[in-house]
Amino acid sequence: METPKSPVTKTGRTKIIDAFSTEDIVGLYRQQENLDLADFFRFGETVYLLECEDTGYRFYFPFEVAGDEDFYQKLKLEGDKKGLEYDRDWSPDHEFAFGQIGADEKLLEIGCNTGKFLEKIREKTNFAEGVEFNSVAAEAARKKGLRVRNIDIAELVETEAETFDVVCGFQVLEHIPNIEPFLSAAIKLLKKGGKLIFSVPNNEPYFQRFSKYEVLNLPPHHVGLWNLKAFERITDFYEINLENYAFTGRSSFKADIYLRSKLMAGIKSLPKKNTLGEKVKMFALAPVSIIFNGFDALRGKVGFGHITVVFRKK
């Protein structure tokens, strides 16, 4: 397979580092989210994970695996049936970002969903608005009295370039297949010296280090895997400097042992779906996991669920 250009740098320096069976991905979504995505993966039997060699950013390919509006509306409906709220409640990454924003700064939230962060940020500024591509979520936000537009940020640049003091997005960047035009547009919307804030799942190398088959960290939900190294290196390609960052959502030692054992055993199924044979394999590998995780803990290398980064426009 001819590897594509990096979606974050547009250079040809990319390499394949892993491959996933579309049958496995479809099965996991059916099992956990009650979604039949067989038609979504008609392009082939394999989804590849590639790495941008310039930055360390990893992305799934082909790019067509990215979820569309219909996918997210179905995902929300299934969540509603289980009593789950797809729009995230106030979390530690929100709290960290909140502390980075000054009084009365003009703010734009990309992918604001139903506007939970925008509601809270009104304690600091009256100049906050959002954009949201899910029309149902955008309408729900407007009903709260929030200014939310169902518009692409590339269109927004045409009329509002260099307008905002802060542009932020929570759990958005990992959904974007074509990163370069998205990031470029977000930066153009900022005033000189403005802040760009993103929070994403922390992938070292996968979610919470070892959860390779975390279904909502796979396409079509997530199409990119970010970590601190990637954020540090993208500053060589954009007019921004990394100013601050924070890790949140630390996993427990017990969870790390389970996830590491599961990865070493090559097990893809959910905990409640593990067969007796799979449980035996993980139990046999648990002592090895305990030793490695113990060494990791001594070195300060532990699993965190999310990373929030703050950039400053040059």
Side-chain angles (χ1 to χ4, degrees):
M1 183 189 81
E2 183 178 351
T3 59
K5 289 184 177 180
S6 165
V8 72
T9 65
K10 295 304 180 184
T11 69
R13 289 173 44 78
T14 61
K15 62 181 179 181
I16 297 172
I17 60 170
D18 211 339
F20 295 74
S21 159
T22 57
E23 184 180 357
D24 285 342
I25 296 174
V26 169
L28 286 167
Y29 271 98
R30 186 181 292 120
Q31 183 186 93
Q32 182 167 322
E33 302 299 328
N34 196 33
L35 290 177
D36 187 350
L37 302 181
D39 287 344
F40 207 94
F41 291 97
R42 286 177 293 180
F43 55 78
E45 298 178 352
T46 305
V47 172
Y48 296 95
L49 183 64
L50 286 86
E51 181 174 280
C52 167
E53 295 182 85
D54 293 314
T55 63
Y57 169 70
R58 290 172 297 139
F59 60 96
Y60 293 103
F61 184 80
F63 296 122
E64 289 79 9
V65 295
D68 54 15
E69 183 175 359
D70 181 61
F71 165 75
Y72 285 104
Q73 290 186 3
K74 287 178 179 176
L75 187 65
K76 182 184 184 305
L77 285 173
E78 289 302 320
D80 291 344
K81 291 176 186 177
K82 293 182 283 190
L84 300 175
E85 176 60 69
Y86 179 67
D87 194 3
R88 294 171 69 234
D89 288 325
W90 192 259
S91 301
D93 53 333
H94 292 128
E95 191 66 40
F96 173 74
F98 188 84
Q100 307 297 308
I101 297 164
D104 289 327
E105 288 189 316
K106 188 171 183 182
L107 176 142
L108 176 72
E109 183 184 1
I110 302 170
C112 65
N113 210 306
T114 63
K116 289 185 177 181
F117 183 76
L118 291 177
E119 288 182 278
K120 177 72 173 177
I121 204 66
R122 286 190 291 194
E123 295 177 11
K124 277 199 170 182
T125 177
N126 292 316
F127 307 102
E129 59 185 279
V131 291
E132 172 56 51
F133 93 112
N134 185 325
S135 56
V136 175
E139 182 59 28
R142 286 192 287 268
K143 286 180 179 178
K144 298 176 181 178
L146 300 169
R147 188 182 186 213
V148 173
R149 286 177 276 182
N150 194 212
I151 187 175
D152 188 277
I153 61 170
E155 297 176 61
L156 206 57
V157 168
E158 297 175 11
T159 55
E160 299 188 38
E162 299 185 351
T163 296
F164 297 94
D165 300 294
V166 180
V167 172
C168 61
F170 301 93
Q171 317 309 311
V172 169
L173 206 55
E174 67 273 18
H175 299 273
I176 308 297
N178 199 3
I179 293 291
E180 190 277 329
F182 176 86
L183 269 181
S184 294
I187 294 166
K188 286 176 183 176
L189 288 168
L190 283 169
K191 299 174 184 177
K192 185 176 181 179
K195 285 167 282 190
L196 183 66
I197 304 174
F198 285 115
S199 176
V200 297
N202 180 43
N203 285 279
E204 288 284 358
Y206 299 103
F207 186 64
Q208 291 184 325
R209 294 199 296 162
F210 309 117
S211 197
K212 179 177 177 178
Y213 288 96
E214 179 77 25
V215 66
L216 292 181
N217 205 33
L218 290 168
H221 191 239
H222 289 176
V223 294
L225 304 181
W226 291 91
N227 57 23
L228 180 59
K229 180 178 76 171
F231 282 124
E232 289 174 333
R233 292 185 178 179
I234 65 170
T235 57
D236 292 335
F237 298 88
Y238 298 87
E239 291 298 305
I240 51 176
N241 290 316
L242 182 62
E243 187 171 88
N244 204 353
Y245 64 88
F247 292 103
T248 55
R250 180 172 176 170
S251 58
S252 68
F253 191 72
K254 183 178 178 181
D256 278 354
I257 293 167
Y258 168 76
L259 291 172
R260 191 169 207 152
S261 300
K262 181 179 177 181
L263 181 63
M264 288 192 296
I267 295 169
K268 303 165 187 175
S269 58
L270 299 170
K272 292 182 180 179
K273 300 289 184 177
N274 293 155
T275 65
L276 178 60
E278 289 174 335
K279 291 176 181 177
V280 169
K281 283 183 182 179
M282 286 188 286
F283 184 78
L285 289 166
V288 179
S289 293
I290 291 170
I291 292 170
F292 280 117
N293 283 2
F295 281 124
D296 284 348
L298 288 172
R299 293 182 297 166
K301 189 174 183 180
V302 295
F304 286 94
H306 296 95
I307 178 172
T308 307
V309 289
V310 182
F311 295 100
R312 181 81 66 172
K313 183 176 179 178
K314 295 178 183 177

